[in-house]
Amino acid sequence: MTLPAQMDALTQLHDGYADTQTGPNVSDLTPFLAHQTIAVPEPGAGQALIKVHLAAVNPSDIHFIKGEYGQPRVKGVPAGFEGVGEVVAGDTPFVGQRVSFFASASGAWAEYALTDSTTLVPCRPDLAEVDAAGQLVNPLTAIAMFDMVRESGADSFILNAAGSQLGKLLIALGRDHGIKPIAVVRRAAQADSLRALGAAEVIVSGDADPLEAAKSVFEMHKPLILLDAVGDQFTADLFFAMPAHARWVNYGKLSTEAPALHHLGQMIFQNKKIEGFWLTRWMKEVDPSRIPQSFAEIQDRFISGKWKTDVAGIVPLSEAMERLPDVLAQPDGKAFINPRK
Amino acid sequence: MTLPAQMDALTQLHDGYADTQTGPNVSDLTPFLAHQTIAVPEPGAGQALIKVHLAAVNPSDIHFIKGEYGQPRVKGVPAGFEGVGEVVAGDTPFVGQRVSFFASASGAWAEYALTDSTTLVPCRPDLAEVDAAGQLVNPLTAIAMFDMVRESGADSFILNAAGSQLGKLLIALGRDHGIKPIAVVRRAAQADSLRALGAAEVIVSGDADPLEAAKSVFEMHKPLILLDAVGDQFTADLFFAMPAHARWVNYGKLSTEAPALHHLGQMIFQNKKIEGFWLTRWMKEVDPSRIPQSFAEIQDRFISGKWKTDVAGIVPLSEAMERLPDVLAQPDGKAFINPRK
């Protein structure tokens, strides 16, 4: 295959980190990204070049372009953590195959992405493009955090932002493994669809006295893990309403509140813990066999219909600067960027 | 030995827990305790009766009588977690011996205390009474938490309330094991004596911009454990100024503030953790051989002068209701109750 010299991409305007904590919302991309024509990157030793079919847009991507994520930005380099595409060149036996990938060296919001060859995940032919494009970040996070839930030994677990794509994956895992999901959402309108999906209980944080509702739910189900993508005061209050030995596992920051610890003594006397989950660290620390096993499970779950990708919209890369914020603002479903249009 | 039927004691006025979080200060004991004459308790199976020589007064005792500790109060039963005395009866081979004890069944602020026989710690004859009376709670906590410090692998650790009895024990352990103590205190007046004791650095929270001072100290020493008896906002700020992988280990609540987590993202990206330490749980979970080994080490450290008990005052039990608050209000040293006067 002859590769072009240049490509379209959404490139980062800043280096390093920002000193802000504004959450994963964005109404205007122009302070952070530019639609540019740049050179197609060349794969070095251990790298693979991917012709991107479809790229996902995750909350972590938005944190990243704003400089609020755990990795530094690199000015002039395309953004976008993951996607699906065809391996077109590089130091890998997968040339010519369709793969899901982490765009570790040059981002997925571009016609071509550059990645470490070790992170390529070959896709089954019957895996849909939207499932393949978002196969890594959310599904692998769901599998990894659900492993923690299973290890907790409890018959239930709590998750907030439960209407998110990741939330729905977690609820379905709970349903299929007989561990009751206690879903926390902001709006009552989300409750019925989450119950239909498999949530055993739904706590609506916008209701009157949601903490009292939570207390009776926790009394009944005794959850030991709180999977938290929000990090607000209500999350802290929920944590302190959980039984002894509870763990608050923060993995996202939808809220800009700084939650206060009103019952720190529970850390001492009830053996409670606050910690974080980061997929990047999990992948380094987990038994390496768990990762390919997880991808087999992920693809099987999508293909068999146990998991489903709700699509808010697929935006052509050429229109993404203008249209992506509106798609991201939709209450349900996931946004994608198509760099071939 | 013929035992009397009755004894003097400071008995609790309340059952269970209070809903307050007022810290370990007390200006008036009368809402919580009464000086009463009650029946001498009778040891049952597995129990030992101790004729109390001297009882310690720890911050945890004050939390306990206020209903703010991890165990429920029992109305009419003497308070006081620990002391030294002679075993006078019970299901134990130690009858007639001098022991340090946890007063698990009937408290140490009385002429006689009742305890589980398994918790008796025989004392070397050359161990001073004040060292023996406070041998368990503070010294064992210091040994247990310093084990965590050693496991962290760092060359330094942070402790606050560093001028407390427990703080001084920790500083001396750091000094003797070559792990630099970074001491946090409220008043500059405490700094010199803690440096003389072995503190590598002293951060005075009452100074102008103590957080900036802390940041340069942490940059140099890279501490990974923060041993926290305070639980205020400054503690949270120190935690977020520590390097990646830092652990905030809370074991006391001198402050009534509810610290806010301003950089929750560090839990995710820097693998930081917040947890609690409770001696009662540690004793159940640690390798059982560590406990007698610790007591041999504790007695050796006191007798050899590596540790020293600073005495704020020894109050006769008959005068404790009136005089104990004043002794507890002294900035340095430990209070004791003598039930034989």
Side-chain angles (χ1 to χ4, degrees), chain B residues 266-295:
Chain B
Q266 291 191 4
M267 316 300 280
I268 305 174
F269 300 124
Q270 299 192 24
N271 194 26
K272 293 191 175 182
K273 291 188 169 74
I274 308 174
E275 58 193 277
F277 175 85
W278 192 23
L279 186 60
T280 304
R281 186 170 59 247
W282 179 83
M283 292 180 73
K284 286 178 193 153
E285 292 176 355
V286 73
D287 176 347
S289 69
R290 185 71 184 114
I291 294 176
Q293 194 185 51
S294 298
F295 286 121

Side-chain angles (χ1 to χ4, degrees), chain A residues 21 68-70 231 250-253 258-264 267-269 271 273-278 281, chain B residues 21 68-70 231 250-253 258-264 267-269 271 273-278 281:
Chain A
Q21 291 182 76
E68 300 177 358
Y69 196 69
N250 174 257
Y251 69 91
K253 195 74 176 82
L261 304 179
H262 288 289
H263 304 278
L264 197 60
M267 316 300 280
I268 306 174
F269 300 124
N271 195 26
K273 292 189 169 72
I274 307 174
E275 57 194 276
F277 175 86
W278 192 21
R281 187 170 58 247
Chain B
Q21 292 183 74
E68 300 177 0
Y69 197 68
N250 174 256
Y251 69 91
K253 195 76 177 80
L261 304 178
H262 289 288
H263 304 278
L264 197 60
M267 316 300 280
I268 305 174
F269 300 124
N271 194 26
K273 291 188 169 74
I274 308 174
E275 58 193 277
F277 175 85
W278 192 23
R281 186 170 59 247

Side-chain angles (χ1 to χ4, degrees), chain A residues 150-184:
Chain A
R150 289 201 274 196
E151 283 159 19
S152 80
D155 298 327
S156 70
F157 69 104
I158 308 168
L159 73 162
N160 59 19
S164 70
Q165 174 71 4
L166 181 49
K168 291 173 192 168
L169 302 180
L170 285 164
I171 290 171
L173 280 169
R175 171 199 71 202
D176 296 339
H177 289 87
I179 303 182
K180 296 186 183 69
I182 300 171
V184 181

Side-chain angles (χ1 to χ4, degrees), chain B residues 167-221:
Chain B
K168 292 174 191 166
L169 301 181
L170 285 165
I171 289 171
L173 280 169
R175 171 197 71 202
D176 296 339
H177 289 86
I179 303 181
K180 296 185 183 69
I182 300 171
V184 182
V185 292
R186 278 187 303 176
R187 297 171 297 114
Q190 299 170 287
D192 284 348
S193 69
L194 296 185
R195 279 201 190 88
L197 187 62
E201 305 280 355
V202 180
I203 295 163
V204 180
S205 61
D207 279 358
D209 220 342
L211 194 59
E212 280 310 303
K215 280 176 184 168
S216 33
V217 166
F218 297 172
E219 181 62 33
M220 182 163 39
H221 294 297

